[in-house]
Amino acid sequence: NAGVMQNPRHLVRRRGQEARLRCSPMKGHSHVYWYRQLPEEGLKFMVYLQKENIIDESGMPKERFSAEFPKEGPSILRIQQVVRGDSAAYFCASSLQRGSTDTQYFGPGTRLTVL
Amino acid sequence: DAKTTQPPSMDCAEGRAANLPCNHSTISGNEYVYWYRQIHSQGPQYIIHGLKNNETNEMASLIITEDRKSSTLILPHATLRDTAVYYCISDNDYKLSFGAGTTVTVRA
């Protein structure tokens, strides 16, 4: 049973470009969470999605960031007009049930570097 | 902000047991204690979790005090590959709060 998959593993963008990060949850999991880890810091919650619905985006910056989890395909975290401060590791996690009652399993992350 | 307190670092000899403490004095009745670890820059790896009773799996044991205000993660036979940052999280929310964790260095 494959774990959580994320791609790309490394992504380099120039300021002003768009970054699209993909996350495929574990088989059978319909709950997806995105976290961001800035250099030398702990992971911070960004958004919680369930198939086709955004449940909680309280940790997402108000501008330039968006997330989706369509009926078919992976969850996408999209960052428009990237700035240097967006450079970080972005981790996706999934759970079988709602995370507060079930374990979240994490992917390997996407390391975004903004030049 | 994390609701747990962990020592910033600890060393452990290879082959010996590693005992990682965690204080969660404000834990409420329905909050679980979760342990994850992050090896180098990889994604956090789930280790174990518990509510009231002690738990054991193939990776580790979790000992929770009777008043639930603290717990200890035990790695029975540490190997060099156990070198990582270990996070103790007490939560009943899907927004996992990762603090600074304990940097564990296993030495040969």
Side-chain angles (χ1 to χ4, degrees):
Chain A
N1 186 15
V4 178
M5 299 174 68
Q6 292 186 249
N7 66 81
R9 296 291 304 277
H10 300 274
L11 183 60
V12 179
R13 286 287 178 266
R14 295 189 183 279
R15 281 178 296 170
Q17 292 184 318
E18 178 180 287
R20 292 172 71 89
L21 288 61
R22 288 177 290 276
C23 168
S24 296
M26 287 179 69
K27 186 176 181 180
H29 287 193
S30 61
H31 300 259
V32 166
Y33 316 82
W34 285 92
Y35 291 80
R36 178 167 66 175
Q37 186 173 32
L38 295 171
E40 308 302 322
E41 294 188 14
L43 279 76
K44 303 292 185 188
F45 167 82
M46 297 181 74
V47 61
Y48 163 31
L49 308 104
Q50 197 178 357
K51 279 291 187 181
E52 300 185 272
N53 291 305
I54 297 174
I55 307 301
D56 182 349
E57 56 182 351
S58 59
M60 290 267 276
K62 294 290 186 286
E63 298 177 350
R64 302 186 297 107
F65 285 72
S66 63
E68 63 177 9
F69 188 16
K71 186 176 181 181
E72 300 291 337
S75 174
I76 305 288
L77 179 67
R78 182 182 178 205
I79 311 172
Q80 295 178 288
Q81 300 176 319
V82 296
V83 301
R84 288 216 173 110
D86 296 333
S87 294
Y90 293 83
F91 295 98
C92 164
S94 74
S95 66
L96 186 62
Q97 300 178 46
R98 178 186 161 105
S100 59
T101 57
D102 200 14
T103 302
Q104 294 182 31
Y105 295 92
F106 284 80
T110 294
R111 275 145 195 84
L112 173 65
T113 301
V114 180
L115 302 178
Chain B
D1 291 338
K3 297 184 287 186
T4 61
T5 304
Q6 300 178 250
S9 64
M10 64 182 293
D11 285 0
C12 176
E14 187 179 23
R16 304 294 292 271
N19 297 302
L20 283 63
C22 178
N23 287 321
H24 29 81
S25 57
T26 60
I27 195 170
S28 61
N30 61 348
E31 288 183 337
Y32 283 80
V33 178
Y34 276 86
W35 283 84
Y36 284 83
R37 71 181 182 184
Q38 191 172 24
I39 297 174
H40 194 43
S41 300
Q42 299 176 23
Q45 178 187 23
Y46 165 76
I47 301 174
I48 199 167
H49 75 281
L51 184 62
K52 295 180 181 178
N53 300 321
N54 298 336
E55 302 288 344
T56 295
N57 62 21
E58 65 279 3
M59 288 184 68
S61 295
L62 175 61
I63 308 299
I64 303 174
T65 57
E66 195 168 338
D67 63 7
R68 301 211 325 122
K69 293 183 183 299
S70 66
S71 61
T72 300
L73 178 75
I74 301 173
L75 307 178
H77 304 287
T79 70
L80 298 179
R81 286 185 287 185
D82 292 322
T83 292
V85 179
Y86 287 76
Y87 298 99
C88 169
I89 300 169
S90 69
D91 232 318
N92 64 350
D93 194 345
Y94 47 78
K95 301 177 193 177
L96 297 180
S97 297
F98 288 81
T102 296
T103 299
V104 174
T105 303
V106 181
R107 302 191 186 280

